[in-house]
């Protein structure tokens, strides 16, 4: 049996108050959080136990449970008492990441945090290579007076499997004559995964550096591919008195179509289902725009999966978990691919780089690549 290690009671309580306020005291252990938590579809995950530990000022330093939360937000939305469960998880993780050092028991995440701290991205790539995805596309460097900054996120910038998202987005913008540019090597990771993993000090450094870069270059409007960047720029950089207009690419495409600037004419006669990313849907209420864009594609048949919109099933990549190992049989993405197959979808459409990676992996593992494709909405 693992031993409950008593961290200094005041440190636990103060840490949670700073991050999540006093709401953790309101929990009366009703268990509704556990009924909607995706982990309880694949294994046991006692959310109530962690909240109870928080109330007592106790942290189980030997437990992996604190690192399971994918911050999907389903529990927060369902809680009748308004307990900020994600904030509590984040606060508890902060106690386990002293001086920004992730426990050695989670080597992948530890390596990612080290990479972000040293080179500004999780892929251990040099900053000067950040704009390599745009070579040959005629994408200009952002300068003051440019209408739109396109910030593709570290994953579409560096991961060859996801660079096609950034490239497709830039091709659309270029074809329509949108005045946009990129900052390339001047950018850093937005810091979302860093903060969810408990490294608050590094998050603040990244945020301040990005904000300084944006202001110095005259950035006013930012277009993003990742819901995680969207959430961070829009809702968390404001903590540093920075207010930029932030737009997700699905919203921007919807605007372009409505304004008559983007006209879709090519037939795409396939059955498509759309997956709601947690940080676009539950966290920011963006459900309709991606669907409306898909509906404008001639010949496309849009069908819904179970667990959609507000009840969407998490892909498993949030909360820093995109960088952690998930045991066989415990991947939420496997369940989602099965749902897509059961409704007869030929294409699973996504609007998040993390979702694209997790679902593509699940399709490969299930040997279903000849049955269903995973495609970003762009």
């Amino acid at each position: 049996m693992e031993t409950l290690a008593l961290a200094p009671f005041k440190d636990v309580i103060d840490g949670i108050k700073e991050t999540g306020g006093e709401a953790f005291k309101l929990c009366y252990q009703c268990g509704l959080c556990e009924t909607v938590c995706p982990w309880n579809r694949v294994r046991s995950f006692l959310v109530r136990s962690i909240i109870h530990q928080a109330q007592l000022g106790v942290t189980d330093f030997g437990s992996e449970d604190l690192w399971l939360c994918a911050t999907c937000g389903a529990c927060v939305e369902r809680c009748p008492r308004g307990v900020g469960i994600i904030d509590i998880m984040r606060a508890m993780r902060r106690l386990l990441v002293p001086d920004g050092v992730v426990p050695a028991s989670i080597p992948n995440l530890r390596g990612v945090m080290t990479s972000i701290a040293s080179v500004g991205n999780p892929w251990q790539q040099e900053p000067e290579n950040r704009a390599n995805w745009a070579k040959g596309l005629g994408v200009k460097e952002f300068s003051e007076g440019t209408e739109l900054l396109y910030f593709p996120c570290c994953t579409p910038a560096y991961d060859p499997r996801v660079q096609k998202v950034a490239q497709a987005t830039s091709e659309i913008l270029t074809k329509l004559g949108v005045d946009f540019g990129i900052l390339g090597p001047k950018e850093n990771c937005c810091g979302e995964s860093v903060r969810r993993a408990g490294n608050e000090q590094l998050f603040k450094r990244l945020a301040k550096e990005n904000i300084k870069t944006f202001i110095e270059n005259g950035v006013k409007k930012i277009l993003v591919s990742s819901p995680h960047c969207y959430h961070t720029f829009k809702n968390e950089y404001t903590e540093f008195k920075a207010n930029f207009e932030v737009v997700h690419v699905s919203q921007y495409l919807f605007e372009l179509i409505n304004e008559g600037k983007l006209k879709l004419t090519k037939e795409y006669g396939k059955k498509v289902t759309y997956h709601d990313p947690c940080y676009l849907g539950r966290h920011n209420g963006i459900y309709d725009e991606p669907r409306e864009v898909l509906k404008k594609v001639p010949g496309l048949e849009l069908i819904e999966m179970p667990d959609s919109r507000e009840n969407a099933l998490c892909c498993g990549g949030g909360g820093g978990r995109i960088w952690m190992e998930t045991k066989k049989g415990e991947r939420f993405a496997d369940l989602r691919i099965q749902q897509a197959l059961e409704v007869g979808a030929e294409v699973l459409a996504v609007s998040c780089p993390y979702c694209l990676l997790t679902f593509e992996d699940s399709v490969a593992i299930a040997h279903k690549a000849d049955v269903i494709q995973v495609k970003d909405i762009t």
Side-chain angles (χ1 to χ4, degrees):
M1 179 181 290
E2 291 174 338
T3 304
L4 286 178
L6 184 63
F9 181 88
K10 187 174 184 299
D11 288 352
V12 177
I13 299 299
D14 287 351
I16 295 169
K17 282 181 179 178
E18 179 185 345
T19 307
E22 298 271 1
F24 73 101
K25 295 181 180 179
L26 298 174
C27 174
Y28 51 35
Q29 299 283 300
C30 70
L32 283 174
C33 53
E34 290 171 6
T35 66
V36 296
C37 178
W39 275 111
N40 286 303
R41 297 191 184 196
V42 294
R43 56 162 290 166
S44 175
F45 181 37
L46 302 178
V47 181
R48 285 178 294 174
S49 175
I50 293 175
I51 304 302
H52 190 53
Q53 287 183 37
Q55 290 174 324
L56 296 175
V58 175
T59 301
D60 182 356
F61 287 100
S63 173
E64 68 167 355
D65 283 3
L66 280 177
W67 300 101
L68 289 178
C69 178
T71 66
C72 71
C75 57
V76 176
E77 190 169 89
R78 189 70 181 271
C79 179
R81 300 280 283 173
V83 178
I85 299 170
I86 291 175
D87 294 329
I88 292 170
M89 293 290 185
R90 189 176 115 210
M92 300 283 264
R93 286 177 178 181
R94 283 175 64 181
L95 292 169
L96 303 183
V97 184
D99 302 316
V101 180
V102 174
S105 58
I106 315 175
N108 285 18
L109 182 61
R110 192 174 197 175
V112 164
M113 293 299 114
T114 301
S115 177
I116 293 174
S118 59
V119 291
N121 68 80
W123 296 99
Q124 299 179 352
Q125 296 289 316
E126 294 301 321
E128 55 264 30
N129 296 331
R130 192 175 180 102
N132 283 0
W133 64 267
K135 283 184 177 179
L137 297 179
V139 179
K140 70 177 182 179
E141 182 179 351
F142 187 96
S143 59
E144 189 159 3
T146 303
E147 176 190 343
L148 190 67
L149 169 68
Y150 175 47
F151 189 98
C153 164
C154 298
T155 302
Y158 288 110
D159 190 324
R161 295 171 296 172
V162 194
Q163 285 180 336
K164 56 192 174 186
V165 174
Q167 290 162 351
T169 302
S170 65
E171 286 171 1
I172 292 169
L173 299 177
T174 300
K175 187 171 183 178
L176 296 178
V178 176
D179 181 24
F180 80 103
I182 58 174
L183 286 171
K186 297 178 183 177
E187 302 168 351
N188 280 312
C189 173
C190 73
E192 187 272 335
S193 286
V194 170
R195 185 172 234 190
R196 300 298 175 267
N199 196 339
E200 189 71 10
Q201 182 178 356
L202 178 55
F203 168 75
K204 289 179 178 177
R205 193 193 91 193
L206 293 168
K208 289 175 181 178
E209 289 177 0
N210 277 331
I211 290 167
K212 183 173 183 287
T213 297
F214 294 162
I215 291 173
E216 287 178 348
N217 286 273
V219 174
K220 292 183 173 58
K221 186 173 183 178
I222 308 173
L223 178 70
V224 297
S225 288
S226 172
H228 298 270
C229 297
Y230 177 86
H231 180 82
T232 305
F233 292 155
K234 185 177 179 66
N235 302 318
E236 300 189 351
Y237 277 22
T238 54
E239 297 171 21
F240 306 93
K241 302 190 186 315
N243 291 283
F244 305 99
E245 183 182 355
V246 187
V247 183
H248 185 264
V249 68
S250 64
Q251 294 174 300
Y252 197 65
L253 292 174
F254 177 70
E255 290 175 13
L256 292 172
I257 290 172
N258 272 2
E259 293 169 0
K261 296 177 181 177
L262 175 58
K263 296 177 181 178
L264 307 177
T265 57
K266 188 176 179 180
E267 286 280 332
Y268 192 74
K270 293 189 178 183
K271 292 182 179 179
V272 177
T273 191
Y274 173 71
H275 166 78
D276 293 281
C278 299
Y279 274 77
L280 197 62
R282 262 190 301 271
H283 284 278
N284 286 286
I286 300 170
Y287 298 107
D288 294 329
E289 292 94 324
R291 287 175 169 81
E292 292 303 315
V293 170
L294 291 171
K295 287 177 183 177
K296 295 293 185 181
V297 179
L300 184 151
E301 181 184 348
L302 184 63
I303 51 181
E304 291 286 356
M305 288 182 285
D307 305 311
S308 63
R309 300 181 72 94
E310 292 85 353
N311 299 313
L313 178 62
C314 175
C315 79
R321 288 212 56 83
I322 190 71
W323 315 116
M324 303 183 217
E325 290 292 334
T326 302
K327 296 176 184 176
K328 185 178 180 181
E330 295 185 359
R331 292 173 57 94
F332 309 160
D334 293 349
L335 301 180
R336 200 57 160 159
I337 292 299
Q338 187 58 39
Q339 288 185 336
L341 290 169
E342 286 173 356
V343 297
E346 299 169 89
V347 176
L348 173 57
V350 300
S351 51
C352 172
Y354 294 175
C355 297
L356 185 64
L357 287 175
T358 57
F359 292 145
E360 281 193 342
D361 286 347
S362 288
V363 168
I365 290 168
H367 304 291
K368 295 293 184 181
D370 58 335
V371 181
I372 189 168
Q373 294 178 294
V374 182
K375 287 182 174 288
D376 184 83
I377 195 170
T378 52

